[in-house]
Amino acid sequence: MELTTLWFLLIATLWCGYFLLEGFDFGAAMLMPVLARDDRERRVVLNTFGPVWDGNEVWLLVAGGATFAAFPEWYATLFSGFYLPLLLILVALIVRGVAFEYRGKIDDDAWRRRWDLCIVVGSALPAVLWGVAFGNIVRGVPLSAEHEYTGSFFTLLNPYALLGGVVTLTLFLLHGAVFLTLRTTGDVRDRAQRATQNIAPVAIAAAVAFLTWTAIDQRDAWAIAISVLAALTLVAALGLTAASRDGWAFVATGATIVLATVSLFVALYPNVLPATEAANSLTVTNASSTGYTLTVMTWVALILTPVVVAYQAWTYWVFRARVGTEHIPPLAMPKAVESVLQDIR
């Protein structure tokens, strides 16, 4: 196998891992106002993914770094042409991370509501925009002969890409709801289980429409077969949730996300960024780094990747227990903040 193809597969794997893991914490965060009735229940939801959300984002950082090193032309065109949506995603992720840290710093309901809104918006915006971005990557964008993006921000907001945004949003919501049925107890779990029954039909309809559209456009037999399998696992997730097979339902929604992502990369190859004029497309060949660079990167990846995966697997194992309101202590205000508030009073 050529190193360019190997690194295309590795980058596809990183995106699969990112959507699989970040997908459930995006979904759980978006569902927090719906499933939690008070602050203690909201903290239950946050504690299910609190120890792992920042580790999940490492997959995105590595995917971006790998793209920069292995396919610099792809990276340059993508980050210049998709500058505004990628900037919005970055800002949303920063605000989301700050909100996790700040919401409990002051014992005030209005303060927490504002940061909770930041968490919800900071999760929903990337969930939609990643689907829009990947929809455009697979569909193709206007590129010049020098591989520069010649469209505008509104060029990216085409019906196919917007449908992709709906798919990622609903799949992440479903993945998050199933995750919460697996990781919570009591009323929160019951509400999460009911939420899956409401979200699943919308997610199934959107996913089937998007994958069918992709199959018709690309006409790739492998992509079509993988898309069908993704649709079947999504339907299976609904039945498993109804049967209270929470673990298997989570596996099914995770498999759906991974298979859908794989089908997009299969439809994409050997391109990395198709152009509306095929002659201007970026491929694994004309967008790649030198053979020496790819060789060094391959050895680094072989050494470090197992270590990172093992550490993250260990983290998930340590924090695998279900969380309920009985596990959430009263909110303790930091002494420094309490002292400042007393001085103000």
Side-chain angles (χ1 to χ4, degrees):
M1 179 186 297
E2 294 184 358
L3 288 179
T4 52
T5 300
L6 174 63
W7 274 96
F8 179 85
L9 293 174
L10 289 174
I11 290 171
T13 301
L14 290 169
W15 280 107
C16 288
Y18 175 67
F19 288 143
L20 169 66
L21 300 177
E22 191 86 297
F24 72 72
D25 72 53
F26 277 160
M30 287 186 284
L31 288 169
M32 181 174 63
V34 178
L35 303 183
R37 298 291 186 264
D38 54 36
D39 184 63
R40 206 158 193 170
E41 290 187 345
R42 286 191 287 274
R43 288 165 63 197
V44 167
V45 173
L46 292 173
N47 273 269
T48 59
F49 60 85
V52 298
W53 70 268
D54 47 356
N56 295 343
E57 291 188 354
V58 170
W59 291 78
L60 173 61
L61 297 176
V62 178
T67 303
F68 172 76
F71 300 102
E73 192 78 16
W74 183 16
Y75 181 93
T77 303
L78 188 64
F79 276 75
S80 59
F82 291 52
Y83 179 80
L84 183 55
L86 292 177
L87 177 63
L88 291 173
I89 290 172
L90 178 61
V91 171
L93 292 177
I94 291 172
V95 171
R96 181 175 183 260
V98 170
F100 287 140
E101 300 296 330
Y102 273 45
R103 75 174 303 277
K105 297 300 184 183
I106 296 178
D107 187 12
D108 179 75
D109 289 339
W111 169 271
R112 286 192 288 269
R113 280 196 300 271
R114 285 193 290 270
W115 288 115
D116 287 345
L117 178 61
C118 290
I119 292 173
V120 173
V121 175
S123 302
L125 193 59
V128 173
L129 290 179
W130 281 129
V132 173
F134 268 86
N136 280 289
I137 290 172
V138 174
R139 176 177 177 266
V141 294
L143 298 178
S144 68
E146 292 76 28
H147 301 143
E148 294 180 359
Y149 178 71
T150 58
S152 66
F153 172 70
F154 295 101
T155 305
L156 304 176
L157 302 180
N158 55 81
Y160 177 80
L162 291 174
L163 179 58
V166 173
V167 171
T168 49
L169 176 67
T170 54
L171 279 182
F172 290 170
L173 281 169
L174 180 61
H175 196 38
V178 173
F179 173 75
L180 290 175
T181 64
L182 177 64
R183 288 295 316 282
T184 59
T185 62
D187 292 338
V188 175
R189 181 194 175 279
D190 294 340
R191 295 185 201 116
Q193 189 175 36
R194 289 195 295 270
T196 61
Q197 308 300 315
N198 297 325
I199 299 168
V202 181
I204 291 171
V208 169
F210 181 76
L211 294 174
T212 301
W213 193 341
T214 303
I216 292 172
D217 276 356
Q218 303 298 326
R219 298 181 182 179
D220 186 295
W222 280 106
I224 294 172
I226 296 170
S227 298
V228 171
L229 189 56
L232 292 176
T233 56
L234 185 57
V235 173
L238 179 60
L240 290 165
T241 302
S244 296
R245 302 294 299 273
D246 301 336
W248 285 109
F250 183 70
V251 170
T253 55
T256 298
I257 290 173
V258 170
L259 289 169
T261 306
V262 168
S263 72
L264 294 180
F265 275 93
V266 168
L268 187 61
Y269 185 82
N271 295 315
V272 292
L273 186 60
T276 49
E277 293 186 22
N280 298 336
S281 295
L282 284 168
T283 68
V284 293
T285 302
N286 64 21
S288 69
S289 295
T290 64
Y292 179 77
T293 300
L294 295 177
T295 300
V296 173
M297 289 172 55
T298 301
W299 282 108
V300 172
L302 288 173
I303 295 169
L304 296 182
T305 301
V307 176
V308 174
V309 172
Y311 172 75
Q312 193 162 23
W314 174 80
T315 304
Y316 275 91
W317 176 257
V318 170
F319 296 102
R320 67 188 183 280
R322 290 180 182 266
V323 182
T325 51
E326 66 274 13
H327 302 119
I328 305 298
L331 185 64
M333 188 185 304
K335 292 184 178 180
V337 175
E338 186 176 7
S339 175
V340 170
L341 291 178
Q342 288 176 350
D343 291 342
I344 293 174
R345 295 190 187 105

